[in-house]
Amino acid sequence: MTIHSDSEKVRRYLDEFCVQLPTRTVGTQGNRAAGLMMADYMRSFGFSVETPEFDCLDWRCDEVSLSVGDHRLEVTAG
């Protein structure tokens, strides 16, 4: 697989995850769908994946960060 095809795959996954499922607040249907989508992607790469279900009784957001090397990306928890 080439870097270009890997980059295109990542772009497609992010588009599906962020654009097609924009509402992924904890406990919502969108959140459950996003979890199942990511589990399917990980399985497609050969990983063994478990998706236990649990009730989300409370949720709060602390500081969130995402960086790749020296590049820091803006993120929002959800």
Side-chain angles (χ1 to χ4, degrees):
M1 204 171 277
T2 67
I3 291 174
H4 176 70
S5 64
D6 287 345
S7 296
E8 181 59 27
K9 234 183 207 184
V10 170
R11 187 204 61 75
R12 192 173 65 244
Y13 294 155
L14 288 173
D15 178 70
E16 289 177 25
F17 190 71
C18 297
V19 176
Q20 295 178 32
L21 292 173
T23 304
R24 298 180 313 273
T25 305
V26 174
T28 65
Q29 183 61 33
N31 182 258
R32 287 185 287 280
L36 293 173
M37 180 186 292
M38 291 309 294
D40 287 342
Y41 289 150
M42 294 297 104
R43 285 185 190 101
S44 77
F45 295 125
F47 290 96
S48 174
V49 178
E50 295 179 17
T51 56
E53 292 189 21
F54 64 94
D55 291 330
C56 177
L57 302 177
D58 192 15
W59 181 79
R60 70 183 177 122
C61 177
D62 289 328
E63 182 180 334
V64 178
S65 66
L66 177 62
S67 59
V68 178
D70 293 333
H71 186 73
R72 187 174 169 102
L73 304 169
E74 182 179 336
V75 294
T76 304

